[in-house]
């Protein structure tokens, strides 16, 4: 009898946890875009990229990435759940990017730098 109660409680906790995880991954906004701008400075060169992710419930259109200095790239449409990785053009300042999309989305994102660990390549 006690074992059945303990198993029922444990099963309820597991079910509630799974439900919370699933519920937190469902988009809550119609239009939502995340921007991850990364620059990884090595000793001889710099790797940079910008990842765009549509985290909303509807497609985003007319997406443009402005790298500064007049350097822009038109991305077009990003479907629900889709990601797109873009490399900045050579010679641009890797300070921040401005991403615009329809309807009425504008995100200014500074480039982040990954943590360097001793002994790792590029540290």
């Amino acid at each position: 009898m006690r074992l059945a109660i303990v198993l029922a409680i444990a099963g309820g906790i597991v079910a509630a946890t799974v439900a919370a995880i699933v519920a937190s991954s469902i988009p809550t906004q119609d239009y939502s875009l995340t921007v991850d701008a990364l620059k990884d400075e090595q000793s001889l060169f710099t790797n940079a990229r910008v990842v765009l992710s549509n985290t909303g419930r509807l497609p985003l259109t007319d997406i443009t990435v402005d790298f500064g200095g007049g350097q822009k790239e038109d991305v077009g449409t990003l479907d629900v759940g889709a990601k797109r990785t873009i490399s900045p053009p050579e010679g641009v300042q890797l300070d921040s990017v401005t991403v615009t999309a329809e309807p009425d989305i504008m995100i200014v994102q500074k480039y982040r730098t990954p943590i360097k660990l001793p002994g790792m390549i590029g540290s």
Side-chain angles (χ1 to χ4, degrees), residues 8 32 35 42 46 55 79 81 106 121-122:
S32 180
V35 178
Q42 305 291 320
T46 299
T55 55
D79 290 327
M106 184 173 109
I121 296 174

Side-chain angles (χ1 to χ4, degrees), residues 27 29-37 49-61 63 65 75-86 97 99-102 105 107 109 112:
Q29 296 178 332
D30 286 341
Y31 301 102
S32 180
L33 177 68
T34 59
V35 178
D36 180 26
R49 59 140 173 86
V50 177
V51 178
L52 308 173
S53 302
N54 183 349
T55 55
R57 291 187 284 214
L58 298 172
L60 296 169
T61 59
I63 301 170
V65 179
V75 176
T77 300
L78 199 57
D79 290 327
V80 176
K83 289 185 179 184
R84 185 89 172 270
T85 302
I86 301 167
V97 294
V99 180
T100 56
E102 290 299 327
I105 291 177
I107 299 171
Q109 181 71 47
R112 67 180 178 88

